[in-house]
Structures are given as structure tokens and as C-alpha cells.
Amino acid sequence: MARLPIICYPDPRLHTKAKKIEQVDDSIRRLAADMAETMYAAPGVGLAATQVDQHVQLIVIDVSEDKSKLQTFINPEILARDGECEGEEGCLSVPGIYENVTRSAWVRVRALDLNGQPFELEAEDLLAVCIQHEMDHLQGKVFVEYLSRLKQTRIKSKLTKHMRITA
């Protein structure tokens, strides 16, 4: 396994729409394992392939306290959603920035597992929010785009300045 570099906002590659995975093979399983290692090391609770410059529909999530419940979603799609919740979100691609975002409180998602088998899952609370957040990445959307233009501009400026300083 290998840790992968995470693309940081406002990098335009974060706005690339991910392609459907046609075949779940060893290369996809290896990418999922590398993504999981990257997510845990960051540390984070979710990571989309888009964030590591792989533009395929693959996300890994682990919202458990002890990091023992890794979940992989290939070609995920939300079948149903209900309710509304607002909570503070952060993102490995937007380091140090935390803002309130409104999302659905419950979702039903369908995806493929690492063996290429379809499954459905109902999720609520943090898992539901995380699924929606990571699926946004697959559509080329970053959570800060739910914020006002003023907040987006300030975040973009702050991160661009930080990247120049650390480069």
C-alpha cells in the first residue's frame, strides 16, 4: 500500500467529474487500499478518488471511533434521501477550514463492493453526511461551494496564500 498525495482546493482537478468504473479488478482494489491508507494517515473519515487525482467513482469511508469499519463504495448512487441536518464539515482537500453545511439527514445508497457485487445501505447522521460529501467530489464539487461567494473567495485566497508560503 502507498500513501497518495491529496489535491488541495482550489486546484481545478477537484472539479473533474469522475467516470464510472467498468470493471472491479486488482487495480481498483489497490487504489481503494491506497486511498484508505491515505485517509487514515491524513487523518480523515472519508476520501474520494478525485481527491487523489484518480477520476473514477470510488470512495472510502470509516466513521468508526476505532477506525475498524472501513467501507468502500464503487459507482455509488443515492436512491433516496430524507430530512435535513446542518453540521460542521471539513475536507482533506481544504485543510484547516471547517464550515456549516446543510445536507440530507438520511440516505439510501447503492454501490458495488470490492468484489464487484452490488449492495444497498441506509445511512444517517455522520455516515450519511460523509457519503454525500464524498459523492460530491465524484461530481466535481467541493463542500465550500455550498457557502456564500464571499466565504468561498476568502477560503480560496487563504489556501492559495498558504500554498505559496509552503511551496
Side-chain angles (χ1 to χ4, degrees):
M1 291 192 301
R3 290 189 193 165
L4 305 169
I6 297 172
I7 299 171
C8 287
Y9 183 81
D11 191 305
R13 292 174 292 177
L14 289 170
H15 297 294
T16 304
K17 193 169 181 176
K19 292 181 173 65
K20 199 169 194 125
I21 293 172
E22 298 301 325
Q23 181 179 348
V24 179
D25 57 18
D26 285 344
S27 68
I28 296 299
R29 286 186 277 277
R30 187 170 32 267
L31 175 58
D34 290 347
M35 287 172 55
E37 181 176 338
T38 303
M39 174 189 72
Y40 287 131
V45 296
L47 188 66
T50 301
Q51 294 175 271
V52 293
D53 204 20
Q54 298 294 314
H55 303 285
V56 294
Q57 293 183 17
L58 171 63
I59 61 178
V60 294
I61 295 174
D62 188 342
V63 296
S64 67
E65 290 290 322
D66 62 356
K67 304 300 177 207
S68 65
K69 294 192 172 42
L70 179 64
Q71 296 176 285
T72 303
F73 300 81
I74 298 169
N75 300 334
E77 56 184 311
I78 293 177
L79 303 174
R81 57 177 76 225
D82 193 34
E84 192 175 277
C85 65
E86 182 178 315
E88 190 175 72
E89 288 188 29
C91 180
L92 296 176
S93 290
V94 191
I97 305 295
Y98 301 91
E99 293 286 342
N100 284 333
V101 176
T102 301
R103 299 215 184 249
S104 299
W106 173 91
V107 295
R108 182 182 317 116
V109 64
R110 177 175 43 220
L112 300 177
D113 65 18
L114 288 171
N115 295 314
Q117 296 302 306
F119 70 94
E120 288 188 18
L121 174 81
E122 291 185 13
E124 58 188 5
D125 303 323
L126 179 58
L127 181 57
V129 167
C130 195
I131 288 169
Q132 293 168 83
H133 176 110
E134 300 309 332
M135 286 182 67
D136 275 355
H137 280 298
L138 300 181
Q139 298 303 313
K141 188 169 187 175
V142 181
F143 89 99
V144 296
E145 293 164 20
Y146 287 98
L147 308 175
S148 70
R149 285 272 179 234
L150 178 61
K151 280 189 178 182
Q152 288 181 47
T153 301
R154 287 182 178 162
I155 290 167
K156 203 176 284 187
S157 296
K158 180 180 180 177
L159 292 176
T160 302
K161 181 180 177 183
H162 179 73
M163 284 190 295
R164 278 197 307 262
I165 292 169
T166 57

